[in-house]
Amino acid sequence: MIAHANEFNWDLIKSEIDKEAVEAENKYQKEENHMMKIKEPGVLIKRSADYAYKELSSVVLNKHPIPSSSIEHFFTTYTEQWKLQNKTNQENVSISFIHPEQSSLAGSTCRIKICVHKTLSAELELEYERESDTLSIHQYNIGSLKEQRPTSDDSQYLVFRKINLLATKAFEDMLVFFAKESLFNILDWFASYHDLFNKPCHRCHKLLQYDSPQYKHLPPMVRTWAKKSSLFNVNNTQQRQTGIAYHMRCSIEHKHSKLIA
């Protein structure tokens, strides 16, 4: 473009500018189309994810309802049910609540007293855990019906001190069941002591046996309790035989003989 005496060809200048603008627009459009092709898979994935999230958020998982009685009044309900199912034990066993059942965030708690006629008295502090459907024993004490003592003190009678020691292992085995079955197993176990002082040993057929220098002569103070069957010995019927009377030594010998056999 040549200017003469400060005169410019404005039509030519405008034409060149318009031409450059069109070329720039076409170049920009080509670059934008190319970028959209690159982004397209990502856009589709995002859209699919958004749709899947929307669908999942509308799903409601069904949860099996738990009877309200087992949630709010577990111990009250099932101690009464156990009594109805064991009417033959009604004369021998009484169950009362020292501390009434109280609901908690996890389930419920209580403190019960189990009295076995002319034999023993036991106090247990129990907790029911709703989510796992399990039972826990936080504290227990077993003694004579005749004793007047703080529950934190040991019994003055050697036989009940020995039963307290035995109870640690018994409860450990019985609490692996679900809560209702655990409670029933515990009540069954205590009920089996109604003949503690007159039932001979199942193995030696004697009433008294020398236990140790500490405990002297004792009656058959072991009563077999419910256990989960061994995975390696599912046909072991001994696991289901509960309430059988043994002296401590006879019980140990019986277990060893079963293992050898």
Side-chain angles (χ1 to χ4, degrees):
M1 295 180 291
I2 302 174
H4 297 283
N6 294 329
E7 291 182 0
F8 297 93
N9 189 341
W10 295 107
D11 291 336
L12 182 59
I13 293 172
K14 182 177 182 301
S15 174
E16 290 296 326
I17 292 173
D18 290 343
K19 183 178 178 182
E20 290 178 1
V22 170
E23 290 177 353
E25 177 68 22
N26 290 337
K27 183 178 179 181
Y28 173 78
Q29 194 68 36
K30 288 179 180 179
E31 290 177 351
E32 188 178 47
N33 292 338
H34 178 68
M35 290 300 296
M36 285 300 296
K37 288 181 180 179
I38 295 174
K39 292 180 179 179
E40 187 174 353
V43 172
L44 291 174
I45 292 171
K46 184 178 184 303
R47 286 175 181 172
S48 299
D50 290 342
Y51 176 78
Y53 177 78
K54 183 178 178 182
E55 290 296 309
L56 287 172
S57 64
S58 65
V59 175
V60 178
L61 297 177
N62 293 325
K63 189 173 183 179
H64 295 294
I66 303 174
S68 58
S69 60
S70 66
I71 296 175
E72 298 178 6
H73 308 290
F74 173 85
F75 295 106
T76 306
T77 300
Y78 289 118
T79 52
E80 288 301 317
Q81 188 177 117
W82 182 86
K83 290 177 184 179
L84 292 173
Q85 293 178 4
N86 295 269
K87 291 183 178 181
T88 55
N89 290 323
Q90 288 290 350
E91 297 180 0
N92 296 321
V93 181
S94 65
I95 305 168
S96 58
F97 285 83
I98 301 173
H99 296 157
E101 183 169 6
Q102 297 289 332
S103 296
S104 64
L105 292 176
S108 63
T109 61
C110 72
R111 188 177 184 89
I112 65 171
K113 185 173 184 177
I114 303 170
C115 294
V116 182
H117 184 59
K118 294 183 178 180
T119 307
L120 61 77
S121 172
E123 293 187 14
L124 296 88
E125 187 176 314
L126 304 170
E127 180 177 4
Y128 166 62
E129 214 288 326
R130 182 190 313 113
E131 190 67 24
S132 60
D133 191 24
T134 55
L135 205 64
S136 300
I137 300 177
H138 296 297
Q139 189 178 10
Y140 66 88
N141 195 291
I142 304 168
S144 169
L145 288 168
K146 300 177 181 179
E147 291 183 281
Q148 298 293 329
R149 60 183 172 82
T151 55
S152 57
D153 293 350
D154 290 335
S155 172
Q156 67 186 76
Y157 299 103
L158 295 176
V159 63
F160 295 116
R161 291 187 186 182
K162 192 80 171 182
I163 293 174
N164 265 290
L165 295 176
L166 180 67
T168 302
K169 173 58 178 171
F171 292 151
E172 182 182 321
D173 289 337
M174 288 187 279
L175 292 176
V176 301
F177 295 88
F178 288 118
K180 176 185 173 182
E181 196 170 359
S182 292
L183 179 62
F184 281 16
N185 288 337
I186 291 168
L187 297 176
D188 288 340
W189 187 62
F190 279 112
S192 69
Y193 278 96
H194 70 277
D195 52 7
L196 173 63
F197 297 112
N198 52 40
K199 179 77 171 180
C201 175
H202 184 72
R203 182 174 177 82
C204 71
H205 308 292
K206 296 179 181 179
L207 189 59
L208 293 176
Q209 184 185 81
Y210 184 78
D211 182 86
S212 64
Q214 180 182 359
Y215 291 101
K216 312 301 180 183
H217 287 83
L218 294 176
M221 40 71 60
V222 176
R223 293 294 185 276
T224 55
W225 56 83
K227 300 178 185 179
K228 287 283 190 181
S229 296
S230 170
L231 293 175
F232 303 102
N233 192 9
V234 294
N235 295 322
N236 187 355
T237 56
Q238 178 62 29
Q239 302 291 334
R240 295 187 292 273
Q241 294 177 345
T242 61
I244 300 175
Y246 288 101
H247 294 112
M248 180 60 78
R249 189 186 305 168
C250 290
S251 174
I252 294 171
E253 291 174 354
H254 176 71
K255 290 177 182 177
H256 286 171
S257 66
K258 287 292 183 182
L259 290 174
I260 295 171

